[in-house]
Amino acid sequence: MEGARSWGDVRADRFGRSYDPDFRGAIHTWRRGAAGWAVSTYREADDAPVYTAKLELDFDGTGHFFCGRVVDTITAGSPGAGSRVMFDTILAGNLASFFGAIGAFFEAAGYVGHVDVGMALTGIEGSMPYGLHQWGDNAYSGPAPRRTARVTAAELRDDPKSVTMSLIRRFLDATRGTSYVPFEEPKT
């Protein structure tokens, strides 16, 4: 799985920090009985879903992904305190990492066919893109975004960022504008 660490690379924030949770750092693995396996950034006993990125792999090859903290509240003492903000880098980076991991799994299993993928963002109503939240008038008010696509298993493995962008592009256009790509550094 050469290159796996770069699956979820996204632009750093203005302070040079990456994002949290980051699925690439998931180290907790456990069997879910006959249902399959789970890999997570936190143990199941940890009561911190906001900082959790978790993949569940069913016995039939179906993968499910949960990522907390796509939306968070700015803490007191920070500019924009109390604002609900949406971190598109957490969304994009973790979704690409999930697709890359599932693509690697399919490669190891010898599967070369098509895969139906999808995503749904829930609980984002009223949030504003991080960095734009200081203006306060751009809260997301639409329905929970949902998108599906049919891709090849090789696309998941070889280009998870493109698969991710095909699913989140409309949402980013609505919240950030048509030129924003979370995987690229801003052009100067």
Side-chain angles (χ1 to χ4, degrees), residues 70-140:
V70 171
V71 172
D72 203 349
T73 303
I74 299 292
T75 57
S78 300
S83 298
R84 285 176 32 94
V85 294
M86 186 267 304
F87 295 97
D88 44 58
T89 53
I90 292 174
L91 167 65
N94 281 309
L95 195 56
S97 293
F98 167 69
F99 288 145
I102 291 294
F105 168 76
F106 288 144
E107 178 182 37
Y111 182 73
V112 295
H114 284 91
V115 179
D116 292 323
V117 296
M119 71 94 200
L121 293 174
T122 59
I124 64 166
E125 296 77 19
S127 66
M128 297 170 266
Y130 181 74
L132 300 179
H133 66 283
Q134 289 108 347
W135 288 276
D137 62 349
N138 56 343
Y140 183 76

Side-chain angles (χ1 to χ4, degrees), residues 109-187:
Y111 182 73
V112 295
H114 284 91
V115 179
D116 292 323
V117 296
M119 71 94 200
L121 293 174
T122 59
I124 64 166
E125 296 77 19
S127 66
M128 297 170 266
Y130 181 74
L132 300 179
H133 66 283
Q134 289 108 347
W135 288 276
D137 62 349
N138 56 343
Y140 183 76
S141 61
R146 299 173 189 273
R147 297 279 299 174
T148 60
R150 177 166 284 180
V151 299
T152 65
E155 284 177 275
L156 290 175
R157 180 198 66 228
D158 296 339
D159 199 3
K161 292 177 181 179
S162 290
V163 175
T164 297
M165 287 305 295
S166 73
L167 294 177
I168 67 173
R169 175 80 271 162
R170 286 187 186 175
F171 176 69
L172 292 178
D173 288 351
T175 58
R176 285 277 190 178
T178 57
S179 63
Y180 180 76
V181 178
F183 296 114
E184 297 176 359
E185 291 300 318
K187 297 184 176 43

Side-chain angles (χ1 to χ4, degrees), residues 1-9 24 96-97 100-101 104 157-158 160-161:
M1 294 198 317
E2 191 169 319
R5 300 295 299 164
S6 68
W7 287 336
D9 282 350
R24 295 172 300 166
S97 293
R157 180 198 66 228
D158 296 339
K161 292 177 181 179

Side-chain angles (χ1 to χ4, degrees), residues 46-88:
D46 291 342
D47 193 26
V50 72
Y51 290 104
T52 298
K54 180 168 96 174
L55 177 151
E56 291 183 350
L57 185 61
D58 295 345
F59 70 93
D60 64 357
T62 302
H64 309 271
F65 188 68
F66 168 81
C67 181
R69 200 173 171 251
V70 171
V71 172
D72 203 349
T73 303
I74 299 292
T75 57
S78 300
S83 298
R84 285 176 32 94
V85 294
M86 186 267 304
F87 295 97
D88 44 58

